[in-house]
Amino acid sequence: MEGRHPARFINCYVDTQSCNLRCGYCYIGQRKAFDGTLFRCRYPLETMREATLAERLGGVCIFNLCAGGETLLSPDILPVIRMLLENGHNVSVVTNGTATAAFERLLELPEELLSFLYIKFSFHFLEFEKRGLTGCFFANVHRMQERGISFSIDITPCDELIPFIPKIKEMFWREMDGALPHISVARDTSSRELRLLSRLSKEEYREVWSVFDSAKFDYKIQEFLHPHREYCRAGNLSFSLDLAGGNCRICDGAPEPSKMDFYNLYERPQEAVPFVEIGHGCPTAHCYNCHALLTLGTIPELETPSYTQMLDRVERSGRHWLSERVREFYSHRLMPAKGA
Ligand code: SF4
Ligand code: SF4
């Protein structure tokens, strides 16, 4: 039942607080909360399958899987990725690209399922160089790319990385046939008002990191500390899901996120989901995930670039990082089926 439009964006928290790296800008690391937890499903896979049927969720959704640590470290995550793809959804997996055994298991999936998978590789240069993992990272990227799996590569900026920008650009010229990584914006999660995680001013930060010519960076920095009071459909077009336990939250941006809980997706999987809408009540200093939530249309009246533009790159040979199918799907705004 794949339509032109993704129905909903479901931001899944994968409860893994364990990682093989220790990046200085890590949100979990900032709170010193790596406790070795690995993601374990708390409901049978068949209950999760029934609860996430496309018919129940208003069509084919984007399930974005991101952990507190490294998403692919937990063996339990792989059957869930497969189940969501079998339910017809698009699955995106955020990873540091070093869990080689997990990539090998993913590559065993049928072609049809792989064609709707998207991998967001985070390039943690300083940690890779320190631990001798740069070669492993690019080998895994190329392994997925050769199978035609959609992907993008992203850098979280930090001040310590600035002297290495020319080296990183040269590395991508060689390894990725001239396509540069996308750039994110790092926030200081210990500050309530979400400051930039940098000693630079916003203008200096923009100047330094814009050399990567990343549409994602341009949009994120433009939106940084830009509050939105327009009508937002978060809680309906998008919501956050605790993947293990089924708890649904309107939006993760709130300073006190538990006040945003509205439903458990797995408890009564035959029931219609009582979606809500946050409306004019966005509680944050800026849209915390604007490159996905706003570009996919959670605030319908905003004019934005497309989600495809936030992720895709074209190599010198003309090869895109996103497949044609995923490019097309991500270029439309969220639109659930009527009545769902
Ligand atoms: S790879 Fe990701 S989870 Fe691991 S330390 Fe770095 S930022 Fe944190
Ligand atoms: S504007 Fe962004 S952060 Fe605010 S409620 Fe909507 S989706 Fe959430």
Side-chain angles (χ1 to χ4, degrees), residues 72 74-83 101-103 105-106 109:
L72 290 175
S74 311
D76 262 23
I77 198 67
L78 297 169
V80 176
I81 293 173
R82 179 179 188 127
M83 176 277 288
F103 289 113
R105 294 273 314 278
L106 282 176
L109 291 174

Side-chain angles (χ1 to χ4, degrees), residues 18-29 34 67-71 95-96 122 124 127-128 156:
S18 180
C19 190
N20 54 331
L21 307 183
R22 287 290 180 274
C23 307
Y25 42 77
C26 180
Y27 296 151
I28 297 297
F34 279 127
E70 166 48 36
T71 314
T95 171
N96 69 27
S122 301
H124 302 291
E127 283 288 291
F128 290 166
T156 300

